[in-house]
Amino acid sequence: MHFGFSTHQFKDSKEPKRELRKYIKDYEERSEIAEILKPQLSVAMANAERLRKYYEEMGAHWVSAECNPMTDAPEIIEKLI
């Protein structure tokens, strides 16, 4: 979401990590990732909203198996700021 819009369904938890390494060469699971991604937050928020609308137009129910990928991160972030 931080680097572009996609409706690609990931096969497993390793695939998104491989995708991140295309943009963050030395990516590893670590707590600093939030600081690395922070400059792209507005892009990610816009892409998450676009994704929600995409599923709504398809007639999919949010938080269903049809909505893969999906995120509720924007709602959580809005409540925190």
Side-chain angles (χ1 to χ4, degrees), residues 1 5 44-54 56 74-75:
M1 294 289 161
F5 177 77
M45 300 275 286
N47 284 333
E49 181 59 28
R50 184 175 168 197
L51 187 63
R52 182 184 290 268
K53 289 179 181 177
Y54 168 82
E56 286 175 0
E75 289 80 13

Side-chain angles (χ1 to χ4, degrees), residues 56-80:
E56 286 175 0
E57 290 173 4
M58 286 180 42
H61 297 287
W62 194 243
V63 194
S64 69
E66 296 171 279
C67 299
N68 175 15
M70 63 91 46
T71 181
D72 284 324
E75 289 80 13
I76 296 167
I77 292 168
E78 288 293 327
K79 289 179 181 183
L80 293 173

Side-chain angles (χ1 to χ4, degrees), residues 9-25:
Q9 294 184 359
F10 295 113
K11 296 180 285 189
D12 56 36
S13 62
K14 294 176 184 176
E15 194 176 356
K17 294 170 190 171
R18 286 191 296 271
E19 185 70 20
L20 264 178
R21 287 188 185 101
K22 292 178 183 177
Y23 303 98
I24 305 169
K25 298 296 180 201

Side-chain angles (χ1 to χ4, degrees), residues 23-37:
Y23 303 98
I24 305 169
K25 298 296 180 201
D26 60 344
Y27 171 76
E28 294 177 25
E29 287 187 51
R30 58 180 189 242
S31 58
E32 302 89 38
I33 194 68
E35 287 302 314
I36 294 170
L37 295 176

